[in-house]
Amino acid sequence: MKISNLDLGFIQMAFAGMMTLLSFGNASAQEKNQMVRMAKLVIDPTQLENYKAILKEEIEASVRVEPGVLTLYAVSEKENPNHITILEIYESTEAYRSHVQTPHFLKYKNVSKDMVKSLELVDADPLVPGMRIK
Amino acid sequence: MKISNLDLGFIQMAFAGMMTLLSFGNASAQEKNQMVRMAKLVIDPTQLENYKAILKEEIEASVRVEPGVLTLYAVSEKENPNHITILEIYESTEAYRSHVQTPHFLKYKNVSKDMVKSLELVDADPLVPGMRIK
């Protein structure tokens, strides 16, 4: 069989295309394992500033030291500042299980337990997995 | 006045430190202008797949072509899949005002208007401005 330069070019392009498809396939497989959740909390208004300080500390530690904690994006509602929502994204359920055993998480849980009036955990599916924040 | 090499080194370090502080100051000034919001929607269950397709198209277009749309992170609740929450982060209120005039947003609004049973817009303050998704 004779292989011309043209054929070689085509083979190279086809190979590059296959690798691209494979790498996309990989990315979505990784994203499929993600665990996405909204935590909805109501905080004792008299404890709100204390609570925000310890939540901030916990979030910054988690994102810094745990590669599997992809984000913990917490917001306080402008009209009800003691209503907090946290968008939690973990690389996998294993990453989540490991997260809740870390010293910084356990400290947060312990220190905040009397500040949190209610906590609702809402499991969710992202519409565009892999979406980032610019 | 005599300036030794030691003094020069100290002055350089102090200058570098000041520049670092200034650049942090700058970053938070930018983040202070951000507009953060949760959109909470309930969708007609019989229209859910259509709705998700057009929302996905709108989100991908916005994030791709509008530098001021920092994220539109949409989730569907696992237990109530027709309950959608979108974490919206805009660089500024100007970026938001420009966003709602884009052809892709106006198309989304028009096509989805009979699919959306309710829409609540909740303005919010981020706990850790500048938080990203890994």
Side-chain angles (χ1 to χ4, degrees), chain A residues 36 38 40 52 55-56 59-60 63 66-67 69-78 85 87 89 122-128 131-134, chain B residues 36 38 40 52 55-56 59-60 63 66-67 69-78 85 87 89 122-128 131-134:
Chain A
V36 177
M38 287 178 292
K40 301 181 182 188
K52 279 161 71 174
L55 176 61
K56 190 167 186 279
I59 283 176
E60 287 175 341
V63 170
E66 296 180 73
V69 176
L70 302 189
T71 203
L72 294 169
Y73 198 98
V75 300
S76 159
E77 297 181 10
K78 279 190 191 287
T85 300
L87 172 68
I89 310 179
V122 181
D123 286 309
D125 292 309
L127 185 71
V128 184
M131 173 64 63
R132 296 283 189 281
I133 300 172
K134 289 178 195 165
Chain B
V36 177
M38 289 177 291
K40 302 181 182 188
K52 279 160 71 175
L55 177 60
K56 190 167 187 280
I59 283 177
E60 287 175 340
V63 169
E66 296 179 73
V69 176
L70 302 189
T71 203
L72 294 169
Y73 198 98
V75 299
S76 158
E77 297 181 12
K78 279 191 191 285
T85 301
L87 172 68
I89 310 179
V122 181
D123 286 308
D125 291 309
L127 186 69
V128 184
M131 173 63 64
R132 296 283 190 281
I133 300 172
K134 288 175 194 167

Side-chain angles (χ1 to χ4, degrees), chain B residues 5-125:
Chain B
N5 278 348
L6 202 70
D7 289 336
L8 273 178
F10 179 77
I11 290 165
Q12 278 176 341
M13 266 172 49
F15 186 73
M18 265 168 48
M19 293 312 289
T20 306
L21 281 176
L22 282 173
S23 70
F24 272 117
N26 236 344
S28 10
Q30 275 171 16
E31 283 155 7
K32 253 185 205 161
N33 291 329
Q34 282 183 9
M35 177 179 158
V36 177
R37 192 167 77 176
M38 289 177 291
K40 302 181 182 188
L41 301 101
V42 179
I43 308 304
D44 175 353
T46 67
Q47 298 276 351
L48 185 57
E49 290 314 309
N50 286 341
Y51 174 76
K52 279 160 71 175
I54 64 156
L55 177 60
K56 190 167 187 280
E57 187 184 306
E58 195 274 331
I59 283 177
E60 287 175 340
S62 303
V63 169
R64 191 176 62 244
V65 306
E66 296 179 73
V69 176
L70 302 189
T71 203
L72 294 169
Y73 198 98
V75 299
S76 158
E77 297 181 12
K78 279 191 191 285
E79 287 197 10
N80 300 293
N82 66 321
H83 288 226
I84 307 280
T85 301
I86 311 169
L87 172 68
E88 309 180 353
I89 310 179
Y90 305 95
E91 194 175 50
S92 62
T93 48
E94 291 72 30
Y96 169 70
R97 279 198 287 263
S98 149
H99 167 65
V100 293
Q101 288 166 18
T102 56
H104 47 269
F105 179 81
L106 294 172
K107 179 186 165 195
Y108 157 80
K109 265 300 200 191
N110 186 44
V111 179
S112 69
K113 65 180 187 297
D114 296 327
M115 306 174 177
V116 176
K117 292 175 68 177
S118 72
L119 165 64
E120 187 191 358
L121 299 173
V122 181
D123 286 308
D125 291 309

